[in-house]
Amino acid sequence: MAEENKQSEVPPLVQPGVPESYPGSSGSKKEWPEVVGFTPEEAEMKIRVDMPMVQFQVVPPNHFVTMDYNLRRVRLFLDSDGKVARPPRIG
């Protein structure tokens, strides 16, 4: 019976192609919801504490972005007031 339970154990959920840690990061943080409403400069300072080597792309309202995934990039999507509109994340 114990052997049957071992075989039916489900491995932890891991996204294929996404590494557990990111180059240049000091932790495993992938998203920063706490900076919504910040200016881009304030958000950059906060995010750099967790990822000092990250590159930022500031995206004005109603602008398109490419669909490529970059582990060293964080996009800051702004609202019409120039504040961060949604949680920035790696990619």
XYZ file of all heavy atoms in Angstrom:
721
model
N 0.815 -1.186 0.000
C 0.000 0.000 0.000
C 0.867 1.262 0.000
O 0.572 2.206 -0.690
C -0.913 -0.026 1.229
C -1.993 1.002 1.172
S -3.134 0.602 -0.143
C -4.623 1.178 0.521
N 1.951 1.275 0.785
C 2.834 2.436 0.832
C 3.498 2.681 -0.508
O 3.705 3.822 -0.903
C 3.883 2.250 1.916
N 3.828 1.605 -1.230
C 4.441 1.755 -2.546
C 3.467 2.396 -3.530
O 3.864 3.199 -4.364
C 4.921 0.405 -3.066
C 6.122 -0.124 -2.315
C 6.591 -1.457 -2.856
O 6.358 -1.739 -4.042
O 7.182 -2.217 -2.092
N 2.198 2.056 -3.446
C 1.203 2.657 -4.329
C 1.109 4.153 -4.094
O 0.994 4.935 -5.029
C -0.163 2.005 -4.100
C -0.249 0.589 -4.607
C -1.590 -0.041 -4.291
O -2.547 0.692 -3.964
O -1.685 -1.265 -4.366
N 1.163 4.591 -2.833
C 1.101 6.009 -2.514
C 2.309 6.753 -3.058
O 2.201 7.873 -3.515
C 0.992 6.226 -1.003
C -0.367 5.849 -0.469
O -1.334 5.776 -1.229
N -0.445 5.593 0.820
N 3.483 6.140 -2.992
C 4.685 6.786 -3.510
C 4.577 6.992 -5.018
O 4.995 8.006 -5.541
C 5.930 5.969 -3.178
C 6.345 6.057 -1.738
C 7.627 5.299 -1.505
C 8.021 5.376 -0.039
N 9.243 4.628 0.229
N 4.014 6.046 -5.727
C 3.889 6.153 -7.174
C 2.871 7.207 -7.569
O 2.991 7.810 -8.628
C 3.495 4.798 -7.770
C 4.585 3.766 -7.673
C 4.129 2.403 -8.184
O 2.972 2.229 -8.525
N 5.041 1.460 -8.199
N 1.877 7.460 -6.747
C 0.838 8.410 -7.109
C 1.141 9.834 -6.650
O 0.342 10.722 -6.856
C -0.508 7.963 -6.529
O -0.452 7.983 -5.119
N 2.302 10.054 -6.008
C 2.664 11.400 -5.586
C 2.850 12.290 -6.811
O 3.419 11.883 -7.817
C 3.946 11.384 -4.765
C 3.774 10.813 -3.384
C 5.067 10.821 -2.600
O 6.035 11.484 -3.029
O 5.120 10.148 -1.570
N 2.382 13.511 -6.715
C 2.481 14.466 -7.811
C 3.697 15.346 -7.573
O 3.849 15.905 -6.489
C 1.196 15.327 -7.887
C 1.298 16.352 -8.992
C -0.020 14.433 -8.059
N 4.567 15.490 -8.574
C 5.738 16.353 -8.400
C 5.306 17.814 -8.295
O 4.212 18.170 -8.723
C 6.558 16.110 -9.676
C 5.579 15.601 -10.665
C 4.511 14.886 -9.894
N 6.136 18.686 -7.710
C 5.766 20.096 -7.586
C 5.564 20.731 -8.960
O 6.202 20.342 -9.937
C 6.959 20.724 -6.862
C 8.053 19.730 -6.945
C 7.447 18.390 -7.201
N 4.655 21.702 -9.014
C 4.338 22.381 -10.268
C 5.508 23.260 -10.698
O 5.937 24.137 -9.962
C 3.081 23.235 -10.100
C 2.594 23.973 -11.330
C 2.240 22.981 -12.440
C 1.391 24.821 -10.991
N 6.024 22.997 -11.872
C 7.126 23.770 -12.438
C 6.743 24.130 -13.857
O 6.266 23.288 -14.614
C 8.441 22.951 -12.443
C 9.551 23.728 -13.115
C 8.822 22.561 -11.037
N 6.921 25.395 -14.223
C 6.618 25.816 -15.575
C 7.773 25.433 -16.484
O 8.913 25.798 -16.224
C 6.398 27.321 -15.648
C 5.160 27.777 -14.916
C 4.984 29.274 -15.013
O 5.899 29.998 -15.397
N 3.821 29.749 -14.656
N 7.500 24.687 -17.558
C 8.578 24.305 -18.472
C 9.231 25.538 -19.096
O 8.551 26.473 -19.492
C 7.865 23.471 -19.544
C 6.492 23.242 -19.051
C 6.207 24.198 -17.961
N 10.535 25.531 -19.144
C 11.269 26.619 -19.781
C 11.485 27.841 -18.904
O 12.121 28.787 -19.312
N 10.949 27.848 -17.684
C 11.137 28.976 -16.783
C 12.018 28.524 -15.633
O 11.645 27.646 -14.871
C 9.787 29.501 -16.236
C 10.018 30.646 -15.264
C 8.885 29.927 -17.372
N 13.211 29.094 -15.500
C 14.127 28.657 -14.448
C 13.617 29.031 -13.069
O 12.813 29.937 -12.914
C 15.424 29.403 -14.776
C 15.000 30.575 -15.564
C 13.763 30.167 -16.313
N 14.107 28.326 -12.058
C 13.711 28.588 -10.675
C 14.294 29.910 -10.166
O 13.707 30.548 -9.328
C 14.171 27.445 -9.784
C 13.408 26.165 -10.037
C 11.931 26.286 -9.698
O 11.601 26.839 -8.644
O 11.117 25.809 -10.492
N 15.479 30.284 -10.632
C 16.058 31.562 -10.242
C 16.470 32.307 -11.504
O 16.632 31.730 -12.560
C 17.268 31.357 -9.331
O 18.272 30.665 -10.018
N 16.642 33.598 -11.379
C 16.919 34.451 -12.518
C 18.288 35.075 -12.385
O 18.682 35.462 -11.290
C 15.849 35.546 -12.610
C 14.493 34.956 -12.859
C 13.665 34.602 -11.812
C 14.071 34.714 -14.143
C 12.430 34.038 -12.041
C 12.835 34.150 -14.387
C 12.025 33.815 -13.332
O 10.813 33.254 -13.566
N 19.009 35.209 -13.511
C 20.329 35.828 -13.452
C 20.233 37.249 -12.918
O 19.354 38.002 -13.320
C 20.799 35.831 -14.913
C 19.894 34.903 -15.637
C 18.625 34.821 -14.849
N 21.088 37.600 -12.013
C 21.115 38.955 -11.480
C 20.099 39.199 -10.388
O 19.917 40.319 -9.953
N 19.409 38.167 -9.931
C 18.414 38.377 -8.891
C 18.966 37.941 -7.543
O 19.774 37.045 -7.452
C 17.134 37.600 -9.208
O 17.348 36.228 -9.104
N 18.472 38.579 -6.496
C 18.904 38.208 -5.149
C 17.894 37.290 -4.484
O 18.067 36.900 -3.357
C 19.092 39.477 -4.308
O 17.868 40.168 -4.209
N 16.830 36.966 -5.168
C 15.803 36.094 -4.616
C 14.989 35.489 -5.741
O 15.389 35.510 -6.895
N 13.836 34.981 -5.391
C 13.018 34.333 -6.410
C 11.802 35.174 -6.769
O 10.832 34.662 -7.303
C 12.590 32.949 -5.912
O 11.825 33.091 -4.733
N 11.827 36.451 -6.491
C 10.698 37.314 -6.763
C 10.564 37.515 -8.273
O 11.543 37.762 -8.972
C 10.887 38.650 -6.059
C 9.633 39.461 -6.000
C 9.710 40.469 -4.899
C 8.377 41.156 -4.806
N 8.335 42.136 -3.768
N 9.338 37.395 -8.776
C 9.091 37.498 -10.212
C 8.101 38.600 -10.553
O 7.915 38.942 -11.707
C 8.563 36.169 -10.735
C 9.524 35.031 -10.528
C 8.890 33.705 -10.854
C 9.848 32.608 -10.461
N 9.265 31.569 -9.673
N 7.434 39.157 -9.541
C 6.404 40.176 -9.752
C 6.405 41.130 -8.562
O 6.707 40.730 -7.443
C 5.050 39.489 -9.895
C 3.950 40.417 -10.332
C 2.669 39.658 -10.628
O 2.498 39.198 -11.763
O 1.846 39.540 -9.704
N 6.050 42.408 -8.812
C 6.076 43.442 -7.779
C 4.741 44.186 -7.717
O 4.637 45.337 -8.133
C 7.221 44.421 -8.054
C 8.561 43.811 -7.898
C 9.334 43.838 -6.786
C 9.288 43.052 -8.868
N 10.497 43.134 -6.997
C 10.500 42.645 -8.274
C 9.047 42.660 -10.181
C 11.459 41.884 -8.932
C 9.982 41.900 -10.845
C 11.180 41.522 -10.218
N 3.699 43.578 -7.145
C 2.403 44.260 -7.070
C 2.422 45.486 -6.159
O 1.581 46.376 -6.298
C 1.458 43.181 -6.526
C 2.331 42.196 -5.856
C 3.653 42.236 -6.573
N 3.385 45.544 -5.250
C 3.438 46.663 -4.309
C 3.804 47.994 -4.956
O 3.655 49.043 -4.335
C 4.411 46.351 -3.154
C 5.865 46.254 -3.549
C 6.311 44.864 -3.984
O 5.475 44.024 -4.330
O 7.529 44.636 -3.982
N 4.293 47.995 -6.210
C 4.683 49.255 -6.851
C 3.591 49.842 -7.742
O 3.800 50.891 -8.355
C 6.009 49.118 -7.645
C 7.126 48.630 -6.746
C 5.860 48.233 -8.859
N 2.437 49.209 -7.811
C 1.322 49.782 -8.582
C 0.965 51.126 -7.946
O 0.808 51.240 -6.735
C 0.105 48.834 -8.590
C -1.105 49.514 -9.219
C 0.442 47.561 -9.340
N 0.887 52.156 -8.778
C 0.617 53.513 -8.297
C 1.873 54.337 -8.097
O 1.792 55.549 -7.895
N 3.051 53.726 -8.156
C 4.321 54.446 -8.030
C 4.655 55.134 -9.359
O 4.182 54.737 -10.412
C 5.469 53.489 -7.717
C 5.512 52.961 -6.307
C 4.402 52.920 -5.493
C 6.699 52.463 -5.794
C 4.460 52.418 -4.203
C 6.781 51.957 -4.508
C 5.659 51.941 -3.709
N 5.543 56.121 -9.303
C 6.119 56.664 -10.533
C 7.104 55.629 -11.077
O 7.568 54.759 -10.320
C 6.864 57.978 -10.271
O 7.989 57.715 -9.440
C 5.958 59.033 -9.656
N 7.457 55.702 -12.362
C 8.445 54.747 -12.894
C 9.770 54.778 -12.136
O 10.369 53.733 -11.881
C 8.634 55.177 -14.345
C 7.403 55.930 -14.691
C 6.932 56.564 -13.415
N 10.215 55.950 -11.723
C 11.480 56.072 -10.997
C 11.395 55.381 -9.634
O 12.326 54.687 -9.219
C 11.856 57.551 -10.815
C 12.148 58.279 -12.110
C 10.884 58.725 -12.861
O 9.787 58.713 -12.283
O 11.008 59.073 -14.056
N 10.281 55.573 -8.925
C 10.100 54.930 -7.619
C 10.040 53.408 -7.771
O 10.639 52.671 -6.989
C 8.807 55.422 -6.959
C 8.820 56.878 -6.558
C 7.446 57.383 -6.164
O 6.415 56.837 -6.627
O 7.404 58.354 -5.384
N 9.331 52.949 -8.805
C 9.199 51.509 -9.047
C 10.564 50.897 -9.372
O 10.900 49.821 -8.877
C 8.211 51.253 -10.176
N 11.358 51.581 -10.199
C 12.688 51.075 -10.549
C 13.562 50.914 -9.308
O 14.236 49.895 -9.149
C 13.370 52.013 -11.550
C 12.820 51.906 -12.954
C 13.554 52.802 -13.940
O 14.754 53.105 -13.724
O 12.923 53.198 -14.937
N 13.543 51.898 -8.428
C 14.365 51.807 -7.208
C 13.938 50.619 -6.350
O 14.783 49.887 -5.832
C 14.269 53.106 -6.404
C 15.027 54.258 -7.022
S 15.169 55.720 -5.953
C 13.478 56.096 -5.578
N 12.640 50.413 -6.205
C 12.131 49.313 -5.391
C 12.496 47.960 -6.006
O 12.925 47.042 -5.316
C 10.613 49.461 -5.258
C 9.929 48.347 -4.545
C 10.179 48.401 -3.064
C 9.332 47.360 -2.368
N 9.838 46.989 -1.079
N 12.330 47.819 -7.319
C 12.589 46.548 -8.000
C 14.083 46.234 -8.027
O 14.486 45.083 -7.897
C 11.982 46.567 -9.415
C 10.450 46.632 -9.309
C 12.418 45.357 -10.225
C 9.740 46.950 -10.605
N 14.928 47.253 -8.163
C 16.385 47.030 -8.193
C 16.924 46.425 -6.899
O 17.972 45.799 -6.894
C 17.128 48.318 -8.519
C 17.079 48.627 -9.988
C 18.220 49.509 -10.414
N 17.983 50.009 -11.746
C 18.274 49.342 -12.850
N 18.819 48.157 -12.769
N 18.030 49.858 -14.033
N 16.210 46.593 -5.803
C 16.617 45.955 -4.545
C 16.600 44.434 -4.728
O 17.490 43.730 -4.255
C 15.677 46.379 -3.393
C 15.940 45.557 -2.149
C 15.827 47.862 -3.110
N 15.594 43.927 -5.445
C 15.462 42.488 -5.672
C 16.242 42.014 -6.898
O 16.725 40.884 -6.917
C 13.991 42.112 -5.870
C 13.161 42.391 -4.633
O 13.622 42.046 -3.536
O 12.080 42.963 -4.769
N 16.332 42.845 -7.914
C 17.012 42.473 -9.173
C 17.889 43.622 -9.652
O 17.479 44.416 -10.494
C 15.984 42.143 -10.259
C 15.435 40.754 -10.170
S 14.558 40.304 -11.674
C 15.923 39.947 -12.783
N 19.109 43.724 -9.144
C 19.964 44.866 -9.506
C 20.376 44.917 -10.974
O 20.645 45.987 -11.489
C 21.179 44.717 -8.599
C 21.095 43.379 -7.977
C 19.717 42.866 -8.142
N 20.402 43.779 -11.664
C 20.881 43.749 -13.050
C 19.753 43.865 -14.082
O 19.986 43.722 -15.269
C 21.657 42.451 -13.299
C 22.849 42.258 -12.388
S 24.097 43.535 -12.577
C 24.730 43.086 -14.169
N 18.541 44.136 -13.641
C 17.397 44.155 -14.550
C 17.402 45.401 -15.441
O 17.922 46.444 -15.067
C 16.076 44.067 -13.740
C 15.782 45.361 -13.017
C 14.919 43.679 -14.616
N 16.840 45.244 -16.633
C 16.627 46.360 -17.549
C 15.141 46.692 -17.520
O 14.300 45.793 -17.486
C 17.039 45.993 -18.970
C 18.501 45.708 -19.125
C 18.836 45.275 -20.546
O 18.023 45.348 -21.448
N 20.045 44.805 -20.718
N 14.822 47.968 -17.545
C 13.427 48.392 -17.492
C 12.968 48.886 -18.849
O 13.738 49.499 -19.587
C 13.241 49.507 -16.464
C 13.396 49.028 -15.055
C 14.612 49.114 -14.408
C 12.333 48.462 -14.382
C 14.772 48.664 -13.119
C 12.473 47.999 -13.091
C 13.697 48.102 -12.461
N 11.715 48.609 -19.145
C 11.079 49.165 -20.334
C 9.806 49.841 -19.846
O 8.907 49.194 -19.305
C 10.749 48.076 -21.351
C 10.116 48.618 -22.606
C 9.791 47.510 -23.604
O 9.766 46.337 -23.266
N 9.539 47.903 -24.827
N 9.748 51.151 -19.996
C 8.572 51.919 -19.590
C 7.626 51.974 -20.778
O 7.995 52.407 -21.871
C 8.972 53.334 -19.121
C 7.745 54.138 -18.737
C 9.944 53.240 -17.947
N 6.390 51.509 -20.559
C 5.398 51.404 -21.633
C 4.266 52.387 -21.355
O 3.511 52.222 -20.390
C 4.844 49.963 -21.728
C 3.876 49.850 -22.899
C 5.972 48.950 -21.850
N 4.138 53.428 -22.200
C 3.042 54.389 -22.031
C 1.680 53.725 -22.270
O 1.606 52.637 -22.851
C 3.322 55.442 -23.110
C 4.750 55.243 -23.493
C 5.038 53.793 -23.285
N 0.597 54.383 -21.862
C -0.734 53.805 -22.063
C -1.019 53.551 -23.545
O -0.606 54.331 -24.411
C -1.693 54.859 -21.517
C -0.869 55.871 -20.826
C 0.547 55.677 -21.213
N -1.713 52.476 -23.829
C -2.167 52.108 -25.178
C -1.037 51.859 -26.165
O -1.217 52.042 -27.366
C -3.125 53.172 -25.736
C -4.329 53.358 -24.845
O -4.923 52.392 -24.374
N -4.683 54.608 -24.583
N 0.117 51.443 -25.696
C 1.230 51.093 -26.578
C 1.387 49.571 -26.620
O 1.126 48.883 -25.651
C 2.532 51.735 -26.097
C 2.698 53.137 -26.553
N 1.924 54.169 -26.084
C 3.548 53.686 -27.444
C 2.293 55.298 -26.664
N 3.279 55.035 -27.493
N 1.828 49.099 -27.756
C 2.048 47.669 -27.945
C 3.477 47.304 -27.554
O 4.374 48.134 -27.615
C 1.824 47.280 -29.421
C 0.404 47.444 -29.856
C 0.007 48.553 -30.577
C -0.537 46.484 -29.549
C -1.299 48.707 -30.981
C -1.853 46.628 -29.945
C -2.242 47.737 -30.666
N 3.656 46.044 -27.158
C 4.992 45.518 -26.855
C 5.164 44.199 -27.587
O 4.183 43.554 -27.967
C 5.204 45.306 -25.338
C 5.171 46.629 -24.598
C 4.195 44.343 -24.758
N 6.404 43.804 -27.766
C 6.684 42.513 -28.405
C 6.350 41.386 -27.435
O 6.276 41.594 -26.225
C 8.166 42.415 -28.821
O 8.975 42.563 -27.651
C 8.517 43.485 -29.847
N 6.186 40.190 -27.958
C 5.810 39.044 -27.137
C 7.020 38.222 -26.679
O 6.845 37.176 -26.065
C 4.844 38.135 -27.908
C 3.518 38.804 -28.227
S 2.606 39.304 -26.757
C 2.249 37.716 -26.039
N 8.239 38.681 -26.964
C 9.415 37.930 -26.543
C 9.537 37.945 -25.020
O 9.027 38.835 -24.346
C 10.680 38.480 -27.194
C 10.966 39.921 -26.811
O 10.025 40.731 -26.802
O 12.127 40.229 -26.513
N 10.201 36.927 -24.491
C 10.358 36.778 -23.048
C 11.829 36.974 -22.705
O 12.684 36.260 -23.217
C 9.882 35.382 -22.612
C 9.754 35.229 -21.127
C 8.632 35.691 -20.456
C 10.760 34.624 -20.388
C 8.505 35.550 -19.082
C 10.646 34.476 -19.016
C 9.515 34.945 -18.368
O 9.399 34.805 -17.016
N 12.120 37.945 -21.845
C 13.484 38.284 -21.492
C 13.615 38.238 -19.966
O 12.969 39.021 -19.265
C 13.811 39.682 -22.025
C 15.232 40.096 -21.767
O 15.907 39.577 -20.891
N 15.701 41.061 -22.534
N 14.451 37.337 -19.455
C 14.604 37.166 -18.016
C 15.259 38.346 -17.319
O 15.234 38.438 -16.098
C 15.420 35.910 -17.719
C 14.773 34.596 -18.114
C 15.740 33.443 -17.895
C 13.508 34.375 -17.327
N 15.847 39.245 -18.076
C 16.504 40.416 -17.487
C 15.711 41.697 -17.721
O 16.248 42.788 -17.570
C 17.914 40.566 -18.047
C 18.828 39.454 -17.605
C 20.230 39.707 -18.122
N 21.080 38.608 -17.764
C 22.069 38.700 -16.880
N 22.305 39.828 -16.285
N 22.795 37.654 -16.609
N 14.437 41.567 -18.093
C 13.629 42.750 -18.381
C 12.394 42.763 -17.483
O 11.766 41.750 -17.225
C 13.171 42.749 -19.840
C 12.252 43.920 -20.173
C 11.763 43.908 -21.590
N 11.009 42.696 -21.853
C 10.962 42.092 -23.032
N 11.619 42.578 -24.062
N 10.256 40.988 -23.187
N 12.058 43.983 -17.049
C 10.796 44.238 -16.355
C 10.138 45.412 -17.071
O 10.757 46.462 -17.254
C 11.014 44.567 -14.860
C 9.719 45.015 -14.214
C 11.598 43.374 -14.128
N 8.913 45.204 -17.490
C 8.157 46.277 -18.142
C 7.296 46.990 -17.120
O 6.636 46.362 -16.301
C 7.283 45.713 -19.256
C 8.079 45.284 -20.460
C 7.178 44.786 -21.562
N 7.940 44.554 -22.773
C 7.745 43.530 -23.581
N 6.801 42.649 -23.327
N 8.469 43.392 -24.664
N 7.304 48.312 -17.207
C 6.471 49.145 -16.347
C 5.363 49.743 -17.219
O 5.611 50.655 -18.007
C 7.300 50.250 -15.695
C 8.470 49.799 -14.825
C 9.284 50.996 -14.365
C 7.983 48.992 -13.640
N 4.158 49.201 -17.111
C 3.018 49.697 -17.878
C 2.400 50.863 -17.115
O 1.996 50.715 -15.962
C 1.982 48.585 -18.086
C 2.449 47.519 -19.026
C 3.123 46.402 -18.551
C 2.224 47.626 -20.391
C 3.552 45.412 -19.413
C 2.658 46.641 -21.264
C 3.324 45.533 -20.772
N 2.327 52.026 -17.770
C 1.856 53.237 -17.113
C 0.400 53.533 -17.446
O -0.095 53.167 -18.513
C 2.719 54.427 -17.534
C 4.222 54.300 -17.307
C 4.921 55.592 -17.700
C 4.544 53.923 -15.871
N -0.248 54.246 -16.522
C -1.601 54.735 -16.785
C -1.506 56.155 -17.344
O -0.413 56.677 -17.571
C -2.467 54.659 -15.522
C -1.938 55.503 -14.370
O -1.095 56.401 -14.593
O -2.377 55.261 -13.234
N -2.654 56.799 -17.555
C -2.661 58.140 -18.156
C -2.053 59.199 -17.235
O -1.702 60.291 -17.695
C -4.089 58.533 -18.536
O -4.917 58.491 -17.388
N -1.893 58.894 -15.952
C -1.255 59.827 -15.015
C 0.250 59.608 -14.903
O 0.917 60.266 -14.115
C -1.880 59.676 -13.621
C -3.341 60.100 -13.601
O -3.708 61.040 -14.333
O -4.117 59.458 -12.856
N 0.784 58.639 -15.656
C 2.222 58.365 -15.612
C 2.637 57.497 -14.444
O 3.816 57.438 -14.103
N 1.687 56.808 -13.811
C 1.971 55.916 -12.685
C 1.893 54.463 -13.161
O 1.244 54.157 -14.162
C 0.952 56.117 -11.559
C 0.817 57.544 -11.089
C 1.959 57.939 -10.212
C 1.780 59.380 -9.769
N 2.221 59.640 -8.465
N 2.535 53.558 -12.443
C 2.515 52.135 -12.787
C 1.073 51.631 -12.642
O 0.455 51.776 -11.587
C 3.473 51.335 -11.883
C 3.382 49.847 -12.183
C 4.902 51.828 -12.060
N 0.546 51.052 -13.734
C -0.863 50.669 -13.791
C -1.124 49.220 -13.388
O -2.215 48.904 -12.929
C -1.409 50.909 -15.193
N -0.145 48.342 -13.601
C -0.334 46.929 -13.235
C 0.981 46.363 -12.721
O 2.048 46.930 -12.980
C -0.874 46.124 -14.408
C -0.017 46.128 -15.648
C -0.743 45.388 -16.759
N 0.100 45.246 -17.914
C -0.305 44.887 -19.098
N -1.570 44.625 -19.299
N 0.524 44.771 -20.092
N 0.899 45.263 -11.984
C 2.118 44.740 -11.350
C 3.212 44.405 -12.366
O 2.981 43.604 -13.279
C 1.641 43.465 -10.645
C 0.185 43.673 -10.423
C -0.283 44.495 -11.603
N 4.367 45.033 -12.240
C 5.498 44.695 -13.112
C 5.947 43.274 -12.848
O 5.881 42.789 -11.718
C 6.585 45.673 -12.720
C 5.904 46.746 -11.949
C 4.710 46.116 -11.325
N 6.410 42.594 -13.900
C 6.918 41.218 -13.741
C 8.068 40.978 -14.691
O 8.253 41.709 -15.668
C 5.804 40.210 -13.973
C 5.304 40.184 -15.395
C 4.221 39.191 -15.579
N 3.026 39.712 -14.939
C 1.838 39.200 -15.056
N 1.656 38.125 -15.761
N 0.805 39.728 -14.475
N 8.827 39.963 -14.397
C 9.945 39.581 -15.240
C 9.412 39.092 -16.581
O 8.415 38.385 -16.642
C 10.767 38.470 -14.565
C 11.440 39.040 -13.315
C 11.795 37.874 -15.519
C 12.115 37.998 -12.463
N 10.093 39.457 -17.625
C 9.710 38.980 -18.943
C 9.777 40.055 -19.949
O 9.782 39.995 -21.076
